[in-house]
Amino acid sequence: MVVFRGLERLKRKQMSADFTGELAYSGKVPVKRTPSLGVLIAISTVSPVAINIYLPSLAGMVTAFDTTAAQIQLTMSLFLVAVAVAQLIVGPLSDRYGRRPVVIAGMALFVAGSALCLMAPDVETLIFARMVQAVGGCTGLVLGRAIVRDLYERDRAAGMIGYVTMGMTVGPMAAPALGGLLDSEFGWRGGFYMMLVMGGAVLMAAIVNLHETNHQRSATGGLGGLLRNYRTLAKEKLFWAYALTAMFTSSVYFSYLGGAPFIAADVLGMGAAEMGLYFMFVAAGYIIGNGISGRITERVGVVRMILAGSLAPSLAVFFVGLAIYVDWLHPLTLFLPMFFVGLGNGICLPSAISGAVSARPELAGAAAGLSGSMQVGFGALTSALVAWAVSETMWPGSVWPMVAVMLFCVLATAACVAAVLRLENQAVA
């Protein structure tokens, strides 16, 4: 209740500022300030960087906290759980109170969580602090998409989401290397120092430049309002078709992420540094796909982009399966086909997300939160399932469980794309 009252006060101040801003005229046209693309990329990048930057320090943290690898791993897995759950709340809160106050509150929470990580005396405190980080950082991840939808119509929004996600891919790509350098100089706290500095800089940028974009806020508040928003959204078949498309196609990548490290290390004998370089194939494909989305989606339309993007991961599954069948498992046959997974996700996801948040524009925050939670939650499930299958069961080191789960996600994506096509045709008819 304290949080809701605080956000209510922030909302009243923001509405006053919006009204004042709308009184500023250039001729007879009201002036509404919009946030820069750079700020949208920055707030969206905080959470992905926080996931990746401390990975080189995990082994050192086991020693520093005198604990087990399983306990330290909770700082990652519970971070993802917190992101998935928090997205369900953050989106609807922004529909009620506005994007700006929720993002600013979230970035402040991220800074507080980073500071608490640095001061953590034991692993339990560190796990809690990481969950605080996750809740704060996910506000930018979710609301960056909702803000884009506030500013642009659906096809244009898909292109802009492509640019935002392309920009936010660069940070996670560089984060492990930067984290390794910081660890060598400052120990395990090095990455968290960087998170603290980055969080503070993004918070200041949000305060200065993140102008409010949600000028049609819902009138309901509190837990009842959140539930009503989700009940309304749950009735939208088109939302579910787009959101499930995004969930299944991104889970092709998560499935691969769950199995590839074990297979590369245990079967191919690859070291961490070599493995990291090969993972660049996926990132390169994703960046190229996002760039294509940003340039042509407005001209081509989201449905055609989703259709084209959903086909690319099937090529990866085919080539990896063929390499296993002919007994030619090599780093290139394991990693190079994943370029198509990254490419397909980069083309498909911006349009699928834009379609989901456009199903009910007045509930864009709730839609962004629910679709994002579905992506992270199901992705974590498929990743854990594949990791368990290739490392603990009767198929240790086998690539087939990974290929099987990836194939399931490809087929499920195809079914969801078919639903999108049918519902869009019905809407036009």
Side-chain angles (χ1 to χ4, degrees):
M1 293 305 295
V2 173
V3 173
F4 283 115
R5 285 196 295 270
L7 285 172
E8 186 66 50
R9 287 194 293 270
L10 283 171
K11 180 196 174 190
R12 286 197 294 268
K13 292 179 181 179
Q14 184 62 44
M15 290 180 70
S16 175
D18 291 345
F19 179 73
T20 302
E22 289 173 12
L23 291 179
Y25 279 80
S26 173
K28 293 185 178 181
V29 180
V31 177
K32 290 183 180 179
R33 298 177 299 175
T34 60
S36 69
L37 181 62
V39 168
L40 294 182
I41 292 174
I43 65 173
S44 301
T45 301
V46 166
S47 187
V49 168
I51 292 173
N52 290 275
I53 196 169
Y54 86 126
L55 293 179
S57 302
L58 289 177
M61 291 166 69
V62 173
T63 303
F65 286 97
D66 190 23
T67 186
T68 64
Q71 280 282 89
I72 291 296
Q73 187 63 33
L74 289 176
T75 64
M76 173 64 75
S77 56
L78 291 184
F79 184 100
L80 293 174
V81 170
V83 168
V85 174
Q87 289 185 84
L88 297 174
I89 301 171
V90 165
L93 282 179
S94 75
D95 289 332
R96 172 71 176 99
Y97 299 105
R99 316 294 187 215
R100 173 181 163 86
V102 176
V103 171
I104 290 175
M107 292 300 106
L109 195 61
F110 180 87
V111 171
S114 300
L116 186 58
C117 286
L118 289 168
M119 298 184 292
D122 50 52
V123 68
E124 290 78 15
T125 305
L126 181 66
I127 291 170
F128 172 76
R130 284 284 289 170
M131 294 177 72
V132 173
Q133 268 192 326
V135 173
C138 85
T139 58
L141 189 64
V142 177
L143 299 185
R145 302 168 177 178
I147 289 170
V148 169
R149 182 58 187 89
D150 290 339
L151 298 174
Y152 304 101
E153 292 303 316
R154 188 181 70 171
D155 290 354
R156 179 59 176 156
M160 295 304 295
I161 289 173
Y163 282 129
V164 169
T165 51
M166 180 174 61
M168 63 180 273
T169 303
V170 176
M173 281 176 58
L178 177 60
L181 292 174
L182 292 170
D183 183 85
S184 65
E185 293 293 327
F186 305 103
W188 70 266
R189 287 185 173 88
F192 292 97
Y193 283 125
M194 186 63 196
M195 292 184 216
L196 181 63
V197 172
M198 179 184 67
V202 174
L203 173 60
M204 292 299 102
I207 291 172
V208 172
N209 187 265
L210 189 66
H211 311 298
E212 184 57 63
T213 60
N214 181 15
H215 302 289
Q216 296 179 336
R217 289 161 222 166
S218 58
T220 56
L223 180 60
L226 300 183
L227 295 177
R228 279 190 292 274
N229 286 346
Y230 278 124
R231 280 199 297 269
T232 301
L233 199 59
K235 298 175 184 177
E236 293 293 333
K237 293 181 180 179
L238 194 58
F239 163 79
W240 287 109
Y242 279 116
L244 287 170
T245 297
M247 183 185 82
F248 282 117
T249 196
S250 61
S251 290
V252 178
Y253 167 70
F254 280 111
S255 302
Y256 171 74
L257 197 63
F262 292 100
I263 297 165
D266 298 339
V267 179
L268 299 177
M270 298 173 64
E274 183 186 9
M275 199 185 306
L277 291 175
Y278 275 102
F279 268 113
M280 296 289 284
F281 283 120
V282 190
Y286 194 67
I287 290 175
I288 293 171
N290 283 151
I292 293 171
S293 291
R295 292 181 66 87
I296 72 171
T297 302
E298 189 174 10
R299 185 168 66 251
V300 174
V302 299
V303 175
R304 289 179 179 176
M305 294 298 289
I306 288 172
L307 182 60
S310 65
L311 293 175
S314 62
L315 295 176
V317 175
F318 172 77
F319 285 124
V320 173
L322 179 63
I324 304 168
Y325 182 75
V326 300
D327 196 23
W328 188 36
L329 192 60
H330 181 274
L332 284 177
T333 61
L334 178 63
F335 286 94
L336 183 57
M338 294 308 117
F339 172 86
F340 293 105
V341 173
L343 181 68
N345 276 195
I347 294 173
C348 179
L349 281 177
S351 291
I353 293 166
S354 179
V357 300
S358 298
R360 291 295 293 264
E362 74 279 12
L363 299 178
L370 180 54
S371 61
S373 181
M374 290 165 59
Q375 281 181 256
V376 174
F378 191 74
L381 176 64
T382 54
S383 180
L385 174 63
V386 172
W388 171 77
V390 302
S391 62
E392 299 292 340
T393 69
M394 60 186 295
W395 306 293
S398 172
V399 188
W400 284 117
M402 181 185 77
V403 174
V405 176
M406 290 174 67
L407 178 60
F408 167 78
C409 292
V410 165
L411 295 176
T413 300
C416 294
V417 172
V420 168
L421 293 172
R422 184 178 68 255
L423 291 169
E424 288 286 0
N425 288 334
Q426 290 175 357
V428 172

